[in-house]
Amino acid sequence: TSTKKNGANYESSVQFAADKLIRPGMSFFNGLPLPDDPSMESFGAGLNEILQYEQRHIMQLAMKGVITDTAPKSIYASVLSGDKLYKQYHPILRETASEYSVVSPKSDWHSLMLSTAPAPSDYSNVDAIFLIEGVFDLDSPGGIESAVSFLDLMSSPPDTWHDSKLASLAFRILPSGTPTSPQSQVLSNILSVASQFDPADITAVVKKLRGDTSHETVADVISTIEKIEDISGHMLKNMVEAAMKETSCPVANSTTPEKKNFYVVNGRVYVPTGDASISISDIKMLISFEMDKSNAITKLILPHLLPATSEKGEARNELEGPVIHHAIGTSAAILNEILSASSSSSTSQDVAATFDSLHSDSGNPLYFSWNDESFSTSSSTRHLQVKVSVILDPLTEPTQRVAPLLLAIRDFLKLPLRLMIAPRKIVQNDVPLSSYYRFVASPNAFPDSNPPKSLFQNLPTNHLLTLRMDVPEAWDVQQANAVQDTDNLRCDTRYGCGDEAHVLANEGGREQDDTEPAQRNVESTQIEYSVKSLLFFGQCYDVSQSTPPNGLQLTLDRSKSSDISESEVTAEIQPDGDQQLSDSNRVAAQNEHTDTLVMKTVGYWQLAANPGVWDLRIDEKSRGAEIYHMVEGTVAKTGKIQLSKNSAESTSKTLVMKDFTNQGRLLLVKRRTGFEQVNLFREEVDLDEIQEEKDETVHVFSLATGHAYERLLKIMMLSVTKRTTSPVKFWLFE
């Protein structure tokens, strides 16, 4: 019984693999084919990409509620759901990028043959229309064999090309090169008007001519065709007349000249592996991939074609199919090629010509131009040849952010500025603008006498406003002086708006002051910000395991390479430009030490620092200093870590904070000999003993961003300390 059972299982497994077109050596992860590249580097990069994709997919299912703690019974079944599922494996599934090309821009509908075309009245029920083009080298035996296989396949199509949608197909054959032999010349002439003939008759002609190289002239080829008995006399006469004409199929375009035999489905190029011919499963897979786009294009174009092709009565109905398939198939190929080129191209579009044409149209109310005269006449700017051209949607947040920058470009830099307003026709929400931006920049700014500032005017007085700084992530900008809570800026109904009104409202007012709110100068709110520090940030990886060293302790200290003695006197530059002498011992006593931990997520780390030279180290008192040392190297595009040729083991890394546009730093660490498998965290600590300790410290982490939140934080801290007997440590984030 066990033998039969095992045999049945083996037979069913083999049958399953055959049905799914799975070959020995293939591997899959949740239905996704794993890379088959023998190179470990390429395999690792592909595997990492698949794992990240599947992780995002599962998280999306969990967020949508498809996967919960109690359902479904099979997570694997839930993962294998959706639109992008295929019943069989196909090499197309491994393609990272699809190639689209309009291979026959000069061809017309006369060269098309229909594969079981619907009746003229049934086109309204068609979901998607496809144009399949076989491009073959008609001068080679391999190309002729591929053409025969293609004709046989399309002449006897399956009942359906897609599981859920009705697809209608037309096809044609194109030469991949200029015909040189009499045989290929005759075939090209006949294929240029293939819509006049039955596909079976053309198949009979191609089969008759394949393998026969005895034809020296076109007349010899035509003589051979006239001897075919399977074609009716009238049809054979028309075919001979077409063969004698000089109108042949246009040569197909190819992005790669070495491709002599390939197939195109609505512009998507498919080259079978080896010299194999296309199969039913190939066409079905290509149709599945292109179904969504073809369906959308068909629904858009088809209603406009049906009335036009039927205006001339029943005599036009027999030509309706080729005309419709040619129009929609060619449109799909053109759109696919454009979209593919725009998504893969990294070059920026040149809009200068568009703006130049708009400049001549002085009556356009949405076009604005400044500083054009100074650009053309001023000797100081003529050699720069810098023009700023901007297209903006006025009801978007990016426009709010960039508008102050455009004012600085126009008024301070005096550069030629051209602006085109491109508003949306339909606005989804009622209040698209809820934020107001100002750019802090002034050519006359000075730290003490005239600090850089921004001014907000005519703000709504009936709303609660919040003020925040929109600065680069590497800037630690904090409030230096403020009377009001910047998270809760509001106007008082009795005293108006501003700092003075806020003080009067909190003090309860002054009974002797009978001045109306509008007559008081209480509309000014002043808030000062300062850059407390900048940030070093980056990623850290363990080159021994190609993973982030989660929890590795890092320290940052002012570099001691200058070797300044304690008695030496240094000069500090003050904000007003004056120099002040100070004892270096006092300067060194300032707190110039920060520390952090490497995070598990992509190995991220960050440390606060001011301009200068710094030393980055692994904390000498931590276990990480025993296990790791620093090395130099880079990370390739494939994700593989590559050590530098002259990389030496070191205990520190010198970092220089020299500007405000600090870039991310890569920190590579390597395990010391003997610590290859050692855990970064010590494991000898008994967790039970920790839980039994009576004086366990309670850590409370808090973030207060305004006066109101600070008051709530004080209440929380008082409540916690009164209701616990354990030591409490509060961590306040800036």
Side-chain angles (χ1 to χ4, degrees):
T1 305
S2 60
T3 304
K4 292 182 179 180
K5 182 177 181 181
N6 292 336
N9 288 337
Y10 176 77
E11 292 176 0
S12 60
S13 300
V14 172
Q15 185 62 43
F16 175 83
D19 294 339
K20 299 297 182 181
L21 301 181
I22 300 175
R23 302 188 307 272
M26 291 183 175
S27 55
F28 298 83
F29 177 77
N30 282 359
L32 298 173
L34 296 180
D36 56 356
D37 197 312
S39 171
M40 289 301 298
E41 179 178 342
S42 301
F43 178 83
L47 179 61
N48 185 49
E49 182 178 351
I50 290 174
L51 292 176
Q52 292 179 359
Y53 169 82
E54 194 63 8
Q55 183 181 13
R56 293 193 299 266
H57 184 204
I58 294 177
M59 289 298 298
Q60 290 175 357
L61 294 177
M63 294 176 64
K64 294 178 181 179
V66 178
I67 298 178
T68 62
D69 294 337
T70 57
K73 293 182 179 180
S74 173
I75 296 181
Y76 182 68
S78 300
V79 172
L80 295 180
S81 60
D83 298 331
K84 302 300 182 181
L85 291 178
Y86 307 97
K87 292 183 176 181
Q88 293 178 324
Y89 168 80
H90 197 277
I92 298 178
L93 297 174
R94 294 188 185 273
E95 292 183 358
T96 57
S98 303
E99 178 185 349
Y100 292 90
S101 176
V102 182
V103 297
S104 55
K106 297 182 180 180
S107 298
D108 56 23
W109 61 269
H110 295 90
S111 60
L112 288 183
M113 295 171 278
L114 299 182
S115 179
T116 61
S121 60
D122 295 338
Y123 272 101
S124 58
N125 299 324
V126 173
D127 295 307
I129 287 178
F130 290 89
L131 173 58
I132 302 180
E133 296 164 298
V135 181
F136 308 113
D137 182 6
L138 299 181
D139 284 311
S140 68
I144 295 295
E145 288 295 335
S146 297
V148 171
S149 300
F150 181 61
L151 288 169
D152 286 337
L153 187 151
M154 300 305 298
S155 300
S156 304
D159 295 335
T160 58
W161 290 104
H162 195 268
D163 294 336
S164 59
K165 290 182 172 62
L166 178 59
S168 178
L169 275 64
F171 65 98
R172 64 173 155 222
I173 295 178
L174 299 171
S176 59
T178 303
T180 58
S181 64
Q183 175 180 285
S184 60
Q185 292 177 9
V186 170
L187 288 178
S188 181
N189 293 345
I190 295 176
L191 292 172
S192 65
V193 289
S195 61
Q196 302 178 14
F197 312 110
D198 189 274
D201 295 338
I202 294 181
T203 304
V205 172
V206 177
K207 288 182 178 180
K208 184 68 175 179
L209 296 178
R210 68 176 175 182
D212 191 349
T213 59
S214 60
H215 306 105
E216 296 181 356
T217 62
V218 172
D220 294 339
V221 179
I222 294 176
S223 176
T224 302
I225 294 176
E226 291 176 339
K227 298 177 182 179
I228 300 176
E229 299 178 353
D230 297 335
I231 304 177
S232 62
H234 175 71
M235 190 67 67
L236 186 61
K237 179 182 178 181
N238 294 337
M239 192 170 292
V240 170
E241 292 178 356
M244 296 176 64
K245 293 181 179 179
E246 297 182 356
T247 57
S248 59
C249 273
V251 177
N253 297 332
S254 177
T255 55
T256 52
E258 65 272 10
K259 296 178 181 178
K260 298 298 183 180
N261 301 296
F262 58 93
Y263 306 86
V264 183
V265 178
N266 279 9
R268 177 163 185 162
V269 179
Y270 171 65
V271 182
T273 56
D275 296 330
S277 300
I278 198 169
S279 63
I280 292 291
S281 61
D282 295 334
I283 297 180
K284 285 188 174 182
M285 181 62 67
L286 290 167
I287 288 176
S288 298
F289 268 91
E290 300 299 319
M291 176 55 72
D292 292 340
K293 289 184 286 186
S294 180
N295 175 253
I297 295 173
T298 301
K299 295 301 181 184
L300 180 66
I301 300 179
L302 185 59
H304 301 281
L305 294 178
L306 289 178
T309 54
S310 301
E311 284 179 354
K312 297 183 180 180
E314 294 298 329
R316 183 64 186 267
N317 285 341
E318 61 181 6
L319 303 179
E320 190 174 56
V323 172
I324 291 176
H325 283 80
H326 176 75
I328 296 179
T330 305
S331 300
I334 294 173
L335 290 174
N336 286 332
E337 185 180 37
I338 294 174
L339 294 175
S340 176
S342 61
S343 62
S344 60
S345 175
S346 59
T347 58
S348 58
Q349 296 183 0
D350 183 13
V351 297
T354 303
F355 275 96
D356 291 338
S357 63
L358 293 172
H359 181 66
S360 60
D361 185 8
S362 59
N364 192 337
L366 300 180
Y367 174 76
F368 303 88
S369 177
W370 298 276
N371 299 332
D372 280 345
E373 296 180 358
S374 62
F375 177 79
S376 59
T377 59
S378 175
S379 59
S380 61
T381 59
R382 187 180 302 139
H383 67 282
L384 293 178
Q385 297 295 319
V386 176
K387 289 185 179 181
V388 181
S389 304
V390 187
I391 301 176
L392 294 177
D393 179 357
L395 300 182
T396 59
E397 183 175 338
T399 299
Q400 293 288 308
R401 299 180 65 180
V402 78
L405 293 175
L406 298 181
L407 290 176
I409 292 173
R410 184 193 68 178
D411 300 335
F412 299 153
L413 301 180
K414 302 297 183 180
L415 292 176
L417 175 63
R418 299 182 292 183
L419 172 64
M420 169 58 68
I421 302 297
R424 288 168 290 174
K425 294 182 179 180
I426 300 177
V427 180
Q428 299 294 335
N429 50 350
D430 296 333
V431 187
L433 296 181
S434 59
S435 300
Y436 310 93
Y437 290 84
R438 296 292 184 272
F439 185 58
V440 183
S442 174
N444 302 319
F446 200 76
D448 290 337
S449 59
N450 185 26
K453 60 186 177 182
S454 62
L455 179 63
F456 291 86
Q457 293 178 314
N458 301 323
L459 295 175
T461 59
N462 56 338
H463 293 291
L464 181 68
L465 301 178
T466 298
L467 181 67
R468 68 178 180 87
M469 298 292 290
D470 186 7
V471 297
E473 186 178 355
W475 294 12
D476 181 13
V477 177
Q478 298 186 19
Q479 285 187 23
N481 185 18
V483 175
Q484 300 186 61
D485 183 1
T486 55
D487 284 345
N488 299 277
L489 295 174
R490 69 181 82 191
C491 295
D492 189 86
T493 56
R494 296 170 298 169
Y495 302 102
C497 308
D499 290 341
E500 186 177 345
H502 177 74
V503 173
L504 292 175
N506 290 340
E507 292 179 354
R510 301 170 183 173
E511 297 180 358
Q512 66 275 16
D513 190 359
D514 297 331
T515 308
E516 293 296 329
Q519 300 176 359
R520 301 194 190 100
N521 184 20
V522 294
E523 297 297 326
S524 176
T525 299
Q526 295 186 359
I527 302 169
E528 294 182 9
Y529 287 88
S530 63
V531 180
K532 185 176 181 181
S533 65
L534 302 175
L535 292 178
F536 284 120
F537 63 93
Q539 294 178 281
C540 180
Y541 284 97
D542 178 1
V543 299
S544 305
Q545 301 180 355
S546 300
T547 58
N550 180 29
L552 180 65
Q553 295 174 275
L554 303 177
T555 61
L556 186 70
D557 298 277
R558 180 72 72 172
S559 177
K560 300 178 181 179
S561 58
S562 58
D563 294 328
I564 300 176
S565 62
E566 294 184 0
S567 61
E568 196 170 352
V569 176
T570 60
E572 292 181 343
I573 306 300
Q574 302 300 315
D576 57 358
D578 294 338
Q579 295 185 4
Q580 178 180 347
L581 298 179
S582 61
D583 185 11
S584 62
N585 192 27
R586 181 172 61 84
V587 175
Q590 297 178 357
N591 183 18
E592 293 185 321
H593 170 87
T594 55
D595 54 64
T596 189
L597 298 177
V598 176
M599 300 179 62
K600 185 176 182 179
T601 305
V602 301
Y604 181 79
W605 60 270
Q606 69 176 26
L607 289 161
N610 289 319
V613 182
W614 298 81
D615 287 335
L616 177 65
R617 300 175 181 271
I618 301 174
D619 191 355
E620 297 176 354
K621 299 180 181 179
S622 68
R623 181 171 171 80
E626 303 175 9
I627 301 175
Y628 294 102
H629 55 75
M630 297 182 180
V631 293
E632 296 293 333
T634 59
V635 177
K637 294 182 179 180
T638 57
K640 183 180 180 180
I641 299 175
Q642 299 176 347
L643 294 180
S644 302
K645 294 182 179 179
N646 299 325
S647 177
E649 300 177 0
S650 62
T651 58
S652 66
K653 184 181 182 70
T654 301
L655 303 180
V656 181
M657 183 69 73
K658 58 183 179 180
D659 52 39
F660 292 95
T661 58
N662 182 31
Q663 302 294 328
R665 312 299 178 97
L666 176 64
L667 176 61
L668 299 179
V669 295
K670 185 178 181 181
R671 291 177 175 265
R672 299 178 185 271
T673 305
F675 291 89
E676 289 80 5
Q677 304 299 328
V678 176
N679 196 336
L680 183 59
F681 300 99
R682 299 185 184 274
E683 302 177 354
E684 61 268 17
V685 180
D686 191 351
L687 297 178
D688 295 335
E689 294 181 0
I690 295 179
Q691 295 176 359
E692 292 176 359
E693 291 182 359
K694 297 181 180 180
D695 297 333
E696 182 180 1
T697 302
V698 178
H699 297 269
V700 181
F701 298 87
S702 302
L703 174 65
T705 59
H707 296 176
Y709 295 104
E710 289 178 358
R711 290 191 292 269
L712 295 175
L713 184 59
K714 293 178 182 178
I715 297 173
M716 182 272 293
M717 296 172 71
L718 181 62
S719 176
V720 170
T721 54
K722 282 186 175 182
R723 288 170 172 77
T724 182
T725 58
S726 300
V728 181
K729 188 171 184 178
F730 294 94
W731 298 80
L732 303 180
F733 294 97
E734 294 180 338

